[in-house]
Amino acid sequence: TDAGIHADRERTVPESIDVIIVGAGFAGMYMLHRVRSLGLSVLVLEAGGGVGGTWYWNRYPGARCDVESMQYSYSFSDDLQQEWKWRERFAPQSEILAYANHVAQKFDLVRDIRFETRVVAAEFHEADSRWQIVTDKGGRFSSKFLVMATGCLSVPLAPKINGLENYRGNVYHTGNWPQKGVDFTGQTVGLVGTGSSGIQATPEIAKQAKHLFVFQRSPNFSIPARNCPISPEYEAEWKRDYSDRRKAARLAVSGILAQRGQSSALEVDEETRSKEYERRWNAGGTNFMAAYPDLLLNPDANETAAAFVRTKIKEIVKDAAVAARLTPTDHPIGSKRICADTQYYDTFNRENVTLVDLRTDPIECAIEEGLRTAGGHSFAVDSLVLATGFDAMTGAIDKVQIFGRNGRRLRDKWQDGPKTYLGLMTAGFPNLFIVTGPGSPSVLTNMIVAIEDHVDWISKCISHMVSVKANSIEPKELAENEWVATVAAEAAKTLMVKAKSWYLGDNKPGKPHVFLAYVGGLPKYQELCDQVAAEGYRGFEIA
Ligand code: N01
């Protein structure tokens, strides 16, 4: 409750620490490492029982990264990137979690992390410019700086299904999967949601279950991942010039090294285009979208790529009616996050898989045995898997009761959409940093690159604050308002605003319709962040 933070304030003396970091995912772990090098005291508070963040929670069958392993990894330590061996082109969740644990061990991180400790409230005290932090365990802390490293897709979202309490089977959410895994052998399973998570889980559950019903509201575009083992030659090639490749990746809009087409999709003839799409489809992965630079800018260009994928779905799925239901027609390809799959569309050729189209016949309620649709169809299922996504970008911050200057609550400030300067800080909440916060490139890029850049910037900022003996830093309202307008204007130039998506908050009833990430690309953004710092933190108030 809101009273929580105020109640016990005077009872115990809080532990006093220079920097408190919330979250021990990839952002929190690197932040901890960097803060230590500043010689400050630091503590990480983490809700989970281990490190890894999103890769700790998302243990659903088929969970895998869609950025290649050689790139979806830290670049800050050459020693680390040389010694770690990735086994697959796209690492499965288990391997990424093992990597996170390896990093924690190598840099001796765990001694400064409190696990199973959820931050519930944080309040800024003007008198001493410090944050007072309260955890669900009743722990109280005081820190000069507070860093939210709480992730962009870390609060699972479950739809309200009437009567779910009457359902007698098991309910799982992909974003909060049981640690010991789930064995669906012999079960009839219902899976709701066909985003990245649902598309990855579907083929794996289908292999195990007696029968799988996939409840689809919106069909999605998906490209085959073509995952494969990493050959020793490929690994050696990467490791030979790892640092140059990392530098080159940082010059790409997405922070991902990929072959990028240079001409408009409409400048080349149809045959050339088809060949190029075919080549990328066969190469696999989301780099498909890098075929032409205008795919997310020009609807006609976009349609050429969308039409190609639609044809593929028709070719793969044998039942024409099922193929038609799986075919997206309501949004430009890539305007919702494009998916990468392993045998997703093929899975609908299996006898034990049924696609249920919720657009024509929506879920009405849960019954004891399973789900019932508005059309009166009942589906008896032993387990229900919700692959229904996340309260993206703002969810984890919103869950903490954060009070800034004058007791103003962050949730109230952000009620019409998040307001940040550079996605890093928000006015009225001094010394509160957000790693890959709303208004930064974050989810549109390689998250690890975005995280490293932000953590480096925040570390330098904290170091600057210490060296000039300043008490507080926060954005000026004007700079923040300008940035919010820039983020919206950049998004409006693209087709990204043409879909109902979590990028726009559309997946959560009542969430403001605001584009949540900066689409201008990582290099331009990073240059701006560096410039701002070099000019004495232009747009920030340092006191
Ligand atoms: O979630 P989503 P996700 N009734 O929001 C449906 C990253 N990620 O967990 O489109 C019925 O994309 C919803 O339908 P609709 C990646 O950035 C990456 O799959 O709203 N259906 C949709 O189909 C990704 O974008 C990886 O009509 C309902 C689905 O649930 C992000 O995480 C892997 C419903 C939700 O899709 C989120 O992906 C996994 C309802 N009431 C995730 N409510 C990789 O690296 C929602 N849905 C590969």
Side-chain angles (χ1 to χ4, degrees):
T1 68
D2 276 19
I5 186 155
H6 305 292
D8 292 341
R9 190 187 299 163
E10 306 307 333
R11 224 167 47 201
T12 51
V13 180
E15 260 182 78
S16 187
I17 286 149
D18 295 326
V19 183
I20 285 196
I21 299 164
V22 189
F26 281 87
M29 287 198 292
Y30 181 46
M31 193 74 228
L32 165 57
H33 180 66
R34 283 300 309 258
V35 172
R36 273 189 191 161
S37 71
L38 302 178
L40 299 175
S41 63
V42 56
L43 180 69
V44 179
L45 301 171
E46 163 60 53
V51 297
T54 198
W55 301 104
Y56 174 88
W57 299 105
N58 285 263
R59 298 170 189 242
Y60 61 86
R64 192 178 284 289
C65 190
D66 60 2
V67 177
E68 295 191 9
S69 321
M70 297 307 291
Q71 305 204 48
Y72 192 82
S73 46
Y74 287 123
S75 65
F76 71 83
S77 158
D78 193 48
D79 200 32
L80 171 67
Q81 68 186 7
Q82 292 296 336
E83 78 189 359
W84 183 261
K85 280 183 94 65
W86 293 104
R87 289 195 299 265
E88 297 179 48
R89 179 184 178 195
F90 295 107
Q93 172 272 334
S94 56
E95 204 177 348
I96 303 175
L97 187 59
Y99 172 74
N101 280 303
H102 171 79
V103 172
Q105 201 177 21
K106 183 178 174 73
F107 298 99
D108 190 21
L109 299 180
V110 171
R111 68 182 154 92
D112 287 324
I113 306 175
R114 303 243 174 118
F115 293 109
E116 291 175 355
T117 305
R118 183 179 287 281
V119 171
V120 292
E123 184 181 41
F124 183 72
H125 281 195
E126 312 223 8
D128 55 2
S129 293
R130 290 184 74 87
W131 284 93
Q132 302 296 316
I133 292 139
V134 180
T135 73
D136 61 348
K137 296 267 169 70
R140 293 181 52 230
F141 301 88
S142 155
S143 73
K144 188 79 198 168
F145 300 100
L146 178 61
V147 183
M148 299 299 282
T150 40
C152 296
L153 294 153
S154 47
V155 176
L157 210 56
K160 283 207 168 28
I161 300 178
N162 287 332
L164 193 59
E165 63 284 1
N166 302 326
Y167 173 56
R168 285 198 306 233
N170 309 306
V171 182
Y172 305 103
H173 193 291
T174 46
N176 187 7
W177 203 257
Q179 294 228 10
K180 54 184 184 338
V182 182
D183 185 359
F184 292 112
T185 308
Q187 291 195 16
T188 296
V189 180
L191 179 144
V192 184
T194 49
S196 298
S197 304
I199 280 176
Q200 287 185 330
T202 290
E204 292 302 313
I205 297 177
K207 278 188 231 161
Q208 218 179 41
K210 188 168 85 189
H211 199 93
L212 173 65
F213 291 103
V214 177
F215 294 91
Q216 171 193 270
R217 188 163 66 184
S218 313
N220 238 319
F221 290 99
S222 188
I223 309 295
R226 312 240 186 252
N227 183 40
C228 57
I230 287 182
S231 70
E233 297 75 39
Y234 181 77
E235 182 189 352
E237 199 184 292
W238 264 89
K239 289 189 173 174
R240 210 164 30 236
D241 54 357
Y242 226 145
S243 55
D244 287 347
R245 288 184 183 215
R246 299 286 201 184
K247 270 188 216 128
R250 278 186 155 80
L251 297 177
V253 280
S254 62
I256 299 171
L257 203 54
Q259 204 194 355
R260 283 188 171 71
Q262 300 300 321
S263 66
S264 158
L266 304 174
E267 267 168 37
V268 295
D269 61 34
E270 200 179 327
E271 195 191 335
T272 312
R273 218 164 36 217
S274 298
K275 265 198 194 145
E276 178 61 4
Y277 289 142
E278 190 71 39
R279 190 180 70 76
R280 286 181 182 260
W281 179 268
N282 291 329
T286 57
N287 289 341
F288 181 84
M289 289 303 291
Y292 300 102
D294 54 349
L295 290 186
L296 281 170
L297 297 172
N298 179 328
D300 295 333
N302 186 281
E303 182 51 29
T304 63
F308 176 88
V309 177
R310 288 191 201 111
T311 305
K312 285 290 179 194
I313 298 171
K314 209 167 161 183
E315 281 168 16
I316 298 168
V317 182
K318 293 195 179 112
D319 183 322
V322 176
R325 271 182 260 140
L326 283 167
T327 301
T329 51
D330 66 345
H331 66 280
I333 185 169
S335 59
K336 281 184 175 186
R337 164 70 177 245
I338 193 146
C339 306
D341 70 278
T342 302
Q343 307 261 292
Y344 175 65
Y345 294 121
D346 309 68
T347 296
F348 293 92
N349 292 329
R350 293 176 70 109
E351 300 237 311
N352 71 332
V353 176
T354 306
L355 180 70
V356 183
D357 186 354
L358 298 179
R359 281 181 309 183
T360 50
D361 191 11
I363 295 170
E364 189 175 74
C365 62
I367 50 177
E368 280 187 20
E369 300 78 24
L371 293 178
R372 182 179 294 153
T373 62
H377 294 100
S378 295
F379 297 88
V381 292
D382 302 305
S383 290
L384 193 58
V385 174
L386 301 175
T388 46
F390 302 89
D391 186 355
M393 307 292 288
T394 53
I397 296 166
D398 198 45
K399 266 183 101 168
V400 180
Q401 300 171 39
I402 300 177
F403 297 91
R405 281 195 197 282
N406 307 316
R408 186 167 189 205
R409 185 152 179 193
L410 186 56
R411 182 186 289 178
D412 295 333
K413 178 180 169 181
W414 284 7
Q415 65 178 348
D416 298 326
K419 292 189 170 63
T420 68
Y421 180 35
L422 301 169
L424 280 160
M425 298 192 87
T426 184
F429 297 79
N431 301 351
L432 173 77
F433 296 95
I434 309 167
V435 184
T436 63
S440 73
S442 60
V443 290
L444 301 175
T445 69
N446 180 348
M447 281 305 298
I448 310 272
V449 173
I451 283 169
E452 283 187 331
D453 287 355
H454 260 193
V455 168
D456 287 345
W457 192 96
I458 294 167
S459 307
K460 279 188 201 141
C461 180
I462 291 177
S463 168
H464 174 78
M465 294 289 292
V466 172
S467 68
V468 301
K469 297 194 171 61
N471 261 327
S472 68
I473 177 165
E474 65 185 295
K476 292 177 181 163
E477 297 261 0
L478 182 65
E480 180 168 291
N481 290 339
E482 280 174 6
W483 183 249
V484 170
T486 301
V487 171
E490 290 281 339
K493 290 182 204 160
T494 73
L495 301 177
M496 300 296 288
V497 294
K498 300 288 182 206
K500 286 177 105 183
S501 73
W502 59 258
Y503 291 133
L504 280 153
D506 296 331
N507 64 331
K508 185 183 173 190
K511 193 165 170 173
H513 180 79
V514 171
F515 200 84
L516 294 166
Y518 172 70
V519 300
L522 214 54
K524 190 162 133 191
Y525 171 80
Q526 201 47 45
E527 196 185 318
L528 183 59
C529 290
D530 290 345
Q531 258 172 22
V532 162
E535 290 170 24
Y537 294 90
R538 169 165 51 87
F540 287 94
E541 186 80 53
I542 297 182

